[in-house]
Structure formats: structure tokens, C-alpha cells
Amino acid sequence: MASRAEPASGAEPVDTGGRRDWRDVARDAADLALLGILLTLASAPLLTAAAAAGTASAAVHDWTRTGSWPSARTTVRRFGRSVLPGVPVSLLALAGAGLLAADLAALATGRVPGGPAALLVTALIAASLAGYAGLVVVEVGGNGGGRWRAAARSAARACLDAPTRWAALTGVVALAGLLAVLVTPVAVPILAGYTVAALHAVTVRRSVSATTVGRPRLADPTIRRSVSAVVVGRRELP
């Protein structure tokens, strides 16, 4: 995985003013696809699913904020450090998902009374819990891929403080689940990487929007300065 701000080998850094072309987009897409594949492989034993998700989230957290992916050594160290603490989380997530899936299947087939109304309510509850779980994964990525209990508490407070963000994350997870059903199984691992990135993007966007609400806008547009992208080896002129 390469850095988005990294110049080509032996080439003079070029200030593009923050503009990105199709090669940057293609490189980002390939990096996220590789991330999803590695996430799926690391989650294969099931008990390592939480550690894999936390490590992938930490990698995306670094990428979205610095433009560079963490080194392989850092990623392996994060994963190894979070395997044992993540086992209870993996078991809890698998048990919860299994119970909700069984409940939905029983309601859909009529084996449990309640009809369409109960099925709809249960589906909404399952989607909301999935959105909360997505925010927990984002919070875990912010602390290096571990500390699930602290991340769960922080995500619970964030959901109550910003229900619209919770709803947006629920929509991301629901859309990812729908696409996972529609696409070919080979593409599901690739979808996992994009889903983690989308969860981070929605969380960051909502957080930035919330902090700007209520702030007065500057009356004079001339005092605003545009900030260009990071340019390696150059000083910014005043």
C-alpha cells in the first residue's frame, strides 16, 4: 500500500494544489480492495474477527489522516496485540448476529407470531445495532485497534449525542449488507475494505459538520486562505 502524498522514485515533487487524477483514485481503490482481502483472511478463524476489524480500522484511520498506510510491521504488531482482547468481542458479535438472524428467519417464515410488523421492527433493531457496531469499529481504529470496552462506551455516547450520524452509519452497514448479497461471493472481501473506509468517511464528515453548526461565518472572504495538499520537501510561501 502506497502513500497518497508520496512522489515517484527519483522524480521532483510537484505541487498539484490538492488536485488528484485517476491514478490516485485507482491506487486508493486497489489499496482498499487489498485491505478488505487481508481483513477477510485474518477473520477466517472467526475468533480473530474483532482483532482483524480493529487492525483494519486503525489502518484506515492512519490513511485518512496522514495520507499514508501504516507499515507492515506496525499492522502485524497491532493485530497480534489485539487477538486475545478481541476474542470475547468476536464471540459476543457472532452470538448476537446469530440470534438476530435466527429471529429474523423465524419471523419471515411465520414460525414466530408477529407478522410483517414484528419483522420490520426486528429488522430496524438489527440495523441500528449494526450501525452502532460500525461506530465501535471506527472508535477502535482511533485508539490503535484495541480497547474495545472504551470504544463501546464512546460509541454509545456518540450515538445518543448525534442520532443522525448513527442513522448514517446504519445506512452504510445496511447498504454493505445488501451489496454483499447481490455481488458475487468473490467480491465480498473487497467490499469489506470499502465498508470500513465508508464508516470512517461518514463519521469524520458528520463530526466536522457538527462542529461547524452555530459558528458565525466570516464576513470578509479575503481573509480566508486556501490550504494546498502536503508537498514534500517544499516550504509554503506566504
Side-chain angles (χ1 to χ4, degrees), residues 62 131 163:
D62 293 347

Side-chain angles (χ1 to χ4, degrees), residues 38-52 79 83 87 90-91 94:
L38 294 176
L39 168 59
T40 303
L41 292 176
S43 302
L46 296 183
L47 293 182
T48 59
F79 179 75
V83 168
V87 169
S90 300
L91 292 174
L94 291 172

Side-chain angles (χ1 to χ4, degrees), residues 79-223:
F79 179 75
R81 189 176 52 199
S82 3
V83 168
L84 289 180
V87 169
V89 180
S90 300
L91 292 174
L92 180 62
L94 291 172
L99 289 175
L100 285 172
D103 194 11
L104 289 171
L107 288 170
T109 56
R111 288 179 294 174
V112 175
L119 178 61
L120 177 61
V121 171
T122 306
L124 290 176
I125 293 175
S128 299
L129 289 175
Y132 165 71
L135 184 54
V136 173
V137 171
V138 173
E139 293 287 341
V140 167
N143 58 43
R147 298 171 56 191
W148 286 93
R149 185 175 300 179
R153 290 195 298 265
S154 177
R157 288 193 299 266
C159 287
L160 295 177
D161 293 340
T164 55
R165 178 171 55 182
W166 187 7
L169 292 168
T170 300
V172 169
V173 177
L175 178 60
L178 177 61
L179 292 176
V181 174
L182 296 178
V183 301
T184 177
V186 179
V188 172
I190 298 175
L191 180 62
Y194 289 111
T195 302
V196 176
L199 291 172
H200 277 266
V202 169
T203 302
V204 171
R205 183 178 181 86
R206 287 287 176 175
S207 299
V208 172
S209 300
T211 56
T212 57
V213 174
R215 292 186 180 180
R217 294 187 177 181
L218 300 177
D220 187 1
T222 60
I223 65 177

Side-chain angles (χ1 to χ4, degrees), residues 54-73:
T55 305
S57 180
V60 173
H61 178 272
D62 293 347
W63 176 66
T64 55
R65 283 157 179 77
T66 67
S68 300
W69 294 98
S71 65
R73 178 178 298 179

